[in-house]
Amino acid sequence: MAACMFLPQGLSLPRPANLSAFASSSSSSSLLNPLSHALPQPRARRRSLAARGVVPVSCALRALVFDCDGVILESEHLHRQAYNDAFAHFGVRCSDRPLNWGLEFYDELQNRIGGGKPKMRWYFKEHGWPSSSVFEKPPESDEDRAKLIDTLQDWKTERYKDIIKSGTVKPRPGVLRLMDEAKAAGKKLAICSAATKSSVILCLENLIGMERFQGLDCFLAGDDVKEKKPDPSIYLNAAKKLGVSGTECLVVEDSVIGLQAATSAGMSCVISYTSSTANQDFKEAIAIYPDLGSVRLKDLELLLQSVVAAK
């Protein structure tokens, strides 16, 4: 069995510090990782369930759904680099200082707000709209502000694609094997990402390969829904496209934003955390893993059976 951590009812992990407490500078410090040594997974419930031969149809795992950024690849530092490169390219200045999102600040920002455009819009509303080579003076109209964000996001997306195409980025442990096990077992496979569709497609083609990508039963990106995670729309749409109920899906996420989206859609969720999300409150997850390196499909099937049967 793979190592993981169950969270009893009422137990929560430490919450992140207040987002506004972090400065938007390029300074960084090391992150604590309280989950670096996962606890053995309790087995008593699974043994009693198997001993009784209770495997209700409603407990069956029919669809495995992956997030992309943070789950398939540890990508947030790459996104931060691409944003800062975009800010530098367009000479973006807030309070007459060059804008550069520091490591700690970006970790908090990306774990609170999903999607690139919402991140920038929130930041500029909080810290003031910037000057730049797009607009010499800070934009005042909604139209000009939207144009600035669109311009920055488009350039950032292309920069991110260049980083991915460099060949230096690899998938996280266990992801490809688990995908292959799911397909071999006849499970439906989906990827649901809040990121821009073109950048997700590039990531998947380079990291999981064309054959796996084309074999997906469902692929949705941020462009496909009006509301980003933690809104459940992307997972509700995925279940509809897959032709399954929420209780028959198991979602793999890395952040509390994704966890909230999955659970709000009525789906069980396991967490494969990263260094930037390890401090988050994952009490709603049914299991927590440092990565998927030792997680097998059978582990996830038994886990979903026990959780649904206990409800």
Side-chain angles (χ1 to χ4, degrees):
M1 299 296 295
C4 71
M5 178 161 61
F6 276 87
L7 297 179
Q9 186 68 29
L11 177 64
S12 63
L13 297 173
R15 291 181 180 275
N18 191 296
L19 183 61
S20 62
F22 290 92
S24 59
S25 68
S26 59
S27 62
S28 64
S29 62
S30 61
L31 297 175
L32 296 177
N33 189 343
L35 302 178
S36 57
H37 299 288
L39 301 178
Q41 181 173 312
R43 302 187 183 188
R45 182 185 294 173
R46 294 186 181 181
R47 284 199 297 268
S48 60
L49 198 68
R52 297 197 306 270
V54 179
V55 184
V57 173
S58 60
C59 294
L61 173 61
R62 293 186 59 198
L64 190 59
V65 186
F66 290 84
D67 179 30
C68 183
D69 289 329
V71 173
I72 295 175
L73 73 159
E74 195 158 354
S75 59
E76 294 310 328
H77 65 292
L78 305 177
H79 283 290
R80 185 177 73 90
Q81 176 186 337
Y83 277 117
N84 286 335
D85 288 348
F87 298 151
H89 179 80
F90 289 101
V92 176
R93 300 177 69 88
C94 285
S95 301
D96 204 33
R97 297 175 60 184
L99 178 58
N100 186 289
W101 282 344
L103 176 60
E104 287 191 21
F105 175 81
Y106 187 76
D107 279 348
E108 292 298 325
L109 180 63
Q110 62 95 10
N111 288 326
R112 296 287 185 90
I113 302 173
K117 293 181 181 181
K119 284 182 177 67
M120 288 189 284
R121 185 170 294 277
W122 176 91
Y123 184 88
F124 295 146
K125 285 179 67 176
E126 290 292 315
H127 298 272
W129 286 84
S131 61
S132 66
S133 61
V134 182
F135 294 103
E136 184 177 349
K137 295 182 178 180
E140 296 183 355
S141 70
D142 290 342
E143 181 180 357
D144 286 348
R145 288 174 175 180
K147 179 180 178 180
L148 173 63
I149 288 178
D150 288 346
T151 300
L152 292 172
Q153 183 65 30
D154 289 347
W155 197 94
K156 175 265 175 183
T157 297
E158 293 306 311
R159 174 66 181 125
Y160 181 75
K161 289 179 181 179
D162 289 340
I163 297 172
I164 295 297
K165 287 187 291 187
S166 69
T168 60
V169 184
K170 304 298 180 185
R172 294 190 68 195
V175 170
L176 301 186
R177 174 186 45 73
L178 196 53
M179 286 183 174
D180 292 344
E181 286 183 6
K183 292 298 287 186
K187 310 298 182 185
K188 295 189 175 182
L189 194 61
I191 293 176
C192 295
S193 171
T196 305
K197 175 167 279 189
S198 60
S199 66
V200 182
I201 290 174
L202 184 73
C203 283
L204 297 179
E205 289 177 347
N206 281 269
L207 295 176
I208 72 172
M210 286 298 299
E211 184 175 351
R212 289 188 186 90
F213 177 56
Q214 293 175 352
L216 292 174
D217 298 289
C218 175
F219 164 58
L220 294 174
D223 313 52
D224 297 312
V225 290
K226 292 183 179 179
E227 300 294 332
K228 307 282 189 179
K229 301 175 186 178
D231 187 273
S233 298
I234 196 165
Y235 286 127
L236 292 172
N237 288 354
K240 185 176 181 180
K241 288 180 177 291
L242 293 169
V244 299
S245 67
T247 57
E248 295 170 320
C249 297
L250 185 61
V251 177
V252 184
E253 276 281 0
D254 72 302
S255 71
V256 71
I257 287 179
L259 172 62
Q260 290 169 351
T263 55
S264 295
M267 300 178 181
S268 294
C269 180
V270 300
I271 292 294
S272 172
Y273 62 84
T274 67
S275 60
S276 67
T277 64
N279 287 335
Q280 293 186 12
D281 182 358
F282 293 132
K283 66 177 181 291
E284 297 300 323
I286 62 174
I288 300 171
Y289 304 99
D291 59 49
L292 302 175
S294 58
V295 180
R296 309 305 295 240
L297 179 65
K298 191 64 177 177
D299 300 333
L300 300 181
E301 289 182 296
L302 291 173
L303 180 61
L304 186 63
Q305 288 171 12
S306 63
V307 168
V308 176
K311 292 182 178 180

